[in-house]
Amino acid sequence: MTDISTCLLPDWARGRLLTVEEAAERLNTSVRFPRRLIEERRIAFVHLGRNVRIPEAALEAFISAGLVEPVAARRGSAA
């Protein structure tokens, strides 16, 4: 038998749900930064009554979206 909660939830909402404080710690920022991300709807979040939780997968996706790959320096250019 399939668990109905896993059928109804999108992929980003599955897994561990982090508090705002845990998300701030993971991002190495103040608590204000993830709260602002939530307020500006820049990160997916879940309302559980009056509580707000950030799915771990959503936080990882947010971090991945901001990843900038290094550019290989051309030979002979001065630094």
Side-chain angles (χ1 to χ4, degrees):
M1 183 170 204
T2 305
D3 183 12
I4 194 161
S5 63
T6 59
C7 295
L8 300 176
L9 292 175
D11 288 340
W12 62 262
R14 293 186 183 148
R16 186 163 180 247
L17 296 175
L18 304 173
T19 63
V20 174
E21 291 78 11
E22 291 171 330
E25 186 176 322
R26 178 94 40 104
L27 293 169
N28 198 25
T29 64
S30 68
V31 174
R32 187 174 179 175
F33 181 66
R35 288 193 191 280
R36 190 177 66 196
L37 293 176
I38 291 167
E39 181 181 339
E40 295 172 358
R41 309 266 178 171
R42 293 174 49 202
I43 193 167
F45 62 95
V46 177
H47 265 217
L48 300 171
R50 295 178 65 181
N51 299 304
V52 175
R53 298 291 184 262
I54 300 172
E56 194 169 34
L59 187 61
E60 290 171 7
F62 176 79
I63 293 168
S64 293
L67 182 65
V68 178
E69 294 291 335
V71 178
R74 293 188 287 195
R75 284 191 169 283
S77 63

